Amino acid sequence: MSEIQNKAVALATQNEGDLTSQSAAGRALPYLESALNLYFALGGDQAQAVVLAGAEPSQTPRVDVSVANLLVEIAVASHLSDIDMIQATYNRLDLELMPLPRNR
């Protein structure tokens, strides 16, 4: 995993406790809340969000393809907002992630 992914998982663990007992499906709600926050920050419409949330997927999406699609859209949103998506993430991690104790 990349450094930023490791740090993000460490922050989630710091805030929520041990993640090993969670399933990927158990992360669906926190993900949806974050995605909706970005949707509305970009000017998304509440009525359209309700329509999208109620739509049935035409096929079962794959996690790898969905993650890739999501990251492409985040990159475009970051570009259009003139922010660096990685730097924005590091800023949050640096602000909130407590340093790990060092072994002596």
Side-chain angles (χ1 to χ4, degrees):
M1 283 193 282
S2 69
E3 177 188 18
I4 200 162
Q5 184 176 355
N6 288 334
K7 285 186 173 187
V9 170
L11 179 62
T13 300
Q14 175 182 295
N15 292 342
E16 302 173 29
D18 184 24
L19 301 176
T20 58
S21 64
Q22 292 187 17
S23 66
R27 297 304 301 180
L29 186 57
Y31 165 76
L32 181 59
E33 290 171 356
S34 294
L36 282 172
N37 283 336
L38 178 57
Y39 173 79
F40 290 125
L42 293 171
D45 176 68
Q46 185 172 2
Q48 183 63 34
V50 171
V51 169
L52 290 171
E56 290 289 329
S58 59
Q59 58 187 9
T60 303
R62 289 182 15 205
V63 173
D64 61 332
V65 172
S66 297
V67 167
N69 292 343
L70 171 70
L71 287 174
V72 167
E73 290 305 320
I74 289 172
V76 171
S78 297
H79 171 76
L80 294 174
S81 301
D82 195 27
I83 58 173
D84 181 302
M85 65 187 205
I86 300 300
Q87 188 60 55
T89 305
Y90 272 122
N91 291 347
R92 176 172 178 205
L93 293 170
D94 290 345
L95 181 67
E96 296 182 41
L97 188 60
M98 291 185 227
L100 297 173
R102 296 182 185 253
N103 292 337
R104 295 186 178 170

